[in-house]
Amino acid sequence: MTIQQFLVYLSLCAVCVLTKPTDKKDRVHHDPQLSDKVHDDAQNFEYDHDAFLGADEAKTFDQLTPEESKERLGKIVSKIDEDKDGFVTVEELRDWIKFAQKRWIYEDVERQWKGHDLNEDGLISWEEYKNATYGYILDKIDTDKDGFVTEGELKAWIKKAQKKYVYDNVERQWQEFDMNQDGLISWDEYRNVTYGTYLDDPDPDDGFNYKQMMMRDERRFKMADKDGDLIATKEEFTAFLHPEEYDYMKDIVVQETMEDIDKNRDGVIDLEEYIGDMYSHDGDADEPEWVKTEREQFVEFRDKNRDGKMDKEETKDWILPSDYDHAEAEARHLVYESDQNKDGKLTKEEIVDKYDLFVGSQATDFGEALVRHDEF
């Protein structure tokens, strides 16, 4: 097959970047499908386009004119013709398709290469990889930069890693509310973005009382704002969005919960209010079994003083229980197993020496976490 014939045959191709591996975990390393399209050339060539270019890149050709498509395809063919003899063989075409289907691997390697080849000599030694991979994280854990990782620092790191979704959520919303991009969010900025013109409508179509909602938000904002200047740092804004994660915000969590459930506004939650927050009868005479169980839970465990209602402290025990601290237990375990000189704290060398304890045996899973370590 000549290059000219090849160009004509594939002139309508759509181009390349690669399909990402499936989310489903499978220990057997299967060769991926070349396309999820039906392979029926009588209908279309979509399967061939995906196979030749990779599904994502193939889509980009749909936006090109025939002339642009041919031009770009010609450049691709020059790459396929490895021996530069003017012909594309079956073997060369096979190698190209394999490359196109696994381009994400090569792109991932290229991205990580720059982060690990510290001396830029075109090679990566084990020392370079170890320092770039483990050293970075250990420096993050060692917050006081004394060269040791204490049990407290380990506990804080584990908690942060487990609650990454909180920080991701804050980061996403931060860009929306920091209107003047000064690295802070004032109450006025938050109020204007969140409520805006809603406050001017006394009778909104959706039935919400936005002024009441705003007053509730303002109260929480002021509680999160430790210095009282009505301007939130990122940490204060995190406490505002996720008050359940901060000890000094737990009272407002309890207060808001009680306000939501306490329909008769007597300052406590009785049994019917407790059940009504979870279940609506809607004319049903018979309650589901789980509702009966919740009634028993209220009487036996929620209402500790047996007065028929939950006060503030009882509500707090219900929604913010003092659970077993898994992060602290894991931190103690890691220190115990890795602390070679038994001084109660870990050096970087002690942690790296026990890397298999910290990273487990599923290297690929930990590798994915390390790729994203800068997110922590």
Side-chain angles (χ1 to χ4, degrees):
M1 179 186 296
T2 67
I3 289 180
Q4 184 177 6
Q5 290 172 322
F6 190 69
L7 281 170
V8 173
Y9 178 70
L10 289 172
S11 62
L12 297 179
C13 273
V15 64
C16 84
V17 162
L18 74 317
T19 52
K20 295 183 179 178
T22 175
D23 291 332
K24 182 180 179 181
K25 181 175 289 185
D26 188 348
R27 293 298 179 190
V28 180
H29 295 276
H30 303 282
D31 282 337
Q33 295 292 322
L34 299 182
S35 173
D36 59 4
K37 310 290 196 313
V38 176
H39 195 181
D40 183 1
D41 287 352
Q43 297 294 325
N44 55 60
F45 295 114
E46 290 182 356
Y47 180 96
D48 303 287
H49 296 172
D50 287 356
F52 179 69
L53 298 164
D56 289 343
E57 190 68 16
K59 296 175 184 176
T60 66
F61 267 47
D62 294 339
Q63 312 304 318
L64 303 179
T65 65
E67 290 73 20
E68 291 171 331
S69 180
K70 291 176 184 179
E71 181 182 356
R72 289 180 62 175
L73 181 58
K75 295 177 181 178
I76 293 174
V77 172
S78 296
K79 295 179 181 179
I80 299 174
D81 180 20
E82 292 184 355
D83 59 12
K84 307 304 178 187
D85 66 351
F87 297 93
V88 173
T89 65
V90 171
E91 290 76 16
E92 288 173 329
L93 195 52
R94 177 201 61 202
D95 292 343
W96 168 261
I97 290 173
K98 287 189 174 184
F99 171 81
Q101 291 295 316
K102 295 182 179 180
R103 188 177 282 107
W104 66 272
I105 293 177
Y106 303 109
E107 291 177 347
D108 180 57
V109 170
E110 188 64 31
R111 178 169 50 82
Q112 293 202 48
W113 185 269
K114 297 176 182 177
H116 291 90
D117 182 14
L118 301 180
N119 61 6
E120 299 182 349
D121 65 349
L123 301 167
I124 295 177
S125 68
W126 166 244
E127 288 300 316
E128 284 179 310
Y129 179 83
K130 181 179 68 176
N131 291 333
T133 301
Y134 299 100
Y136 184 94
I137 293 180
L138 297 180
D139 287 342
K140 289 281 190 179
I141 300 174
D142 180 22
T143 53
D144 60 8
K145 307 305 178 188
D146 65 351
F148 298 94
V149 175
T150 65
E151 186 178 292
E153 288 171 329
L154 259 181
K155 175 183 174 181
W157 171 260
I158 292 170
K159 282 183 176 290
K160 185 173 184 179
Q162 290 297 313
K163 294 177 178 177
K164 179 178 173 292
Y165 75 94
V166 171
Y167 303 102
D168 287 346
N169 176 256
V170 171
E171 194 63 36
R172 186 174 63 254
Q173 296 199 50
W174 185 268
Q175 308 302 323
E176 179 181 355
F177 291 109
D178 184 15
M179 301 297 293
N180 60 7
Q181 298 183 354
D182 64 349
L184 300 166
I185 294 176
S186 68
W187 166 245
D188 285 340
E189 284 178 311
Y190 178 82
R191 181 189 60 197
N192 292 337
V193 172
T194 303
Y195 297 100
T197 57
Y198 288 118
L199 298 178
D200 300 328
D201 187 355
D203 187 23
D205 294 336
D206 54 21
F208 281 111
N209 187 330
Y210 287 99
K211 288 187 177 180
Q212 186 174 345
M213 290 170 61
M214 187 191 69
M215 291 173 60
R216 176 164 160 155
D217 270 355
E218 184 176 10
R219 181 182 63 190
R220 188 197 287 190
F221 194 97
K222 289 179 178 178
M223 179 73 74
D225 177 30
K226 285 186 172 182
D227 57 12
D229 61 356
L230 284 182
I231 298 175
T233 63
K234 187 163 289 188
E235 188 68 13
E236 290 170 335
F237 193 61
T238 304
F240 169 69
L241 292 179
H242 299 274
E244 71 282 354
E245 303 294 342
Y246 291 80
D247 287 338
Y248 80 99
M249 294 292 290
K250 288 184 176 179
D251 284 345
I252 200 73
V253 175
V254 175
Q255 184 176 354
E256 290 178 359
T257 301
M258 294 190 72
E259 289 174 351
D260 289 340
I261 302 177
D262 178 23
K263 301 304 182 184
N264 62 11
R265 298 293 183 261
D266 63 352
V268 292
I269 299 173
D270 61 37
L271 176 58
E272 293 309 314
E273 289 171 330
Y274 174 79
I275 295 298
D277 184 59
M278 306 177 185
Y279 173 70
S280 176
H281 284 274
D282 289 333
D284 293 337
D286 297 328
E287 292 181 338
E289 195 62 35
W290 69 266
V291 176
K292 296 177 183 177
T293 301
E294 283 297 336
R295 288 186 181 276
E296 294 172 1
Q297 290 285 320
F298 183 93
V299 173
E300 296 296 326
F301 302 105
R302 310 282 186 243
D303 178 20
K304 298 183 185 299
N305 61 8
R306 300 293 193 273
D307 65 351
K309 46 190 176 290
M310 286 195 301
D311 58 23
K312 180 179 179 180
E313 287 304 313
E314 290 169 327
T315 302
K316 184 176 182 179
D317 289 341
W318 167 44
I319 64 173
L320 299 170
S322 300
D323 288 334
Y324 174 75
D325 194 330
H326 295 277
E328 182 171 356
E330 178 64 10
R332 289 180 182 275
H333 166 66
L334 294 174
V335 171
Y336 177 81
E337 295 292 339
S338 309
D339 185 15
Q340 296 176 11
N341 60 6
K342 303 304 177 186
D343 63 352
K345 54 189 177 183
L346 303 178
T347 63
K348 183 182 296 186
E349 289 73 20
E350 286 175 323
I351 293 176
V352 173
D353 284 346
K354 296 284 288 187
Y355 78 94
D356 55 336
L357 171 67
F358 284 82
V359 306
S361 61
Q362 298 179 4
T364 53
D365 287 350
F366 185 68
E368 291 171 3
L370 293 178
V371 169
R372 300 188 296 269
H373 62 61
D374 57 319
E375 296 176 354
F376 295 124

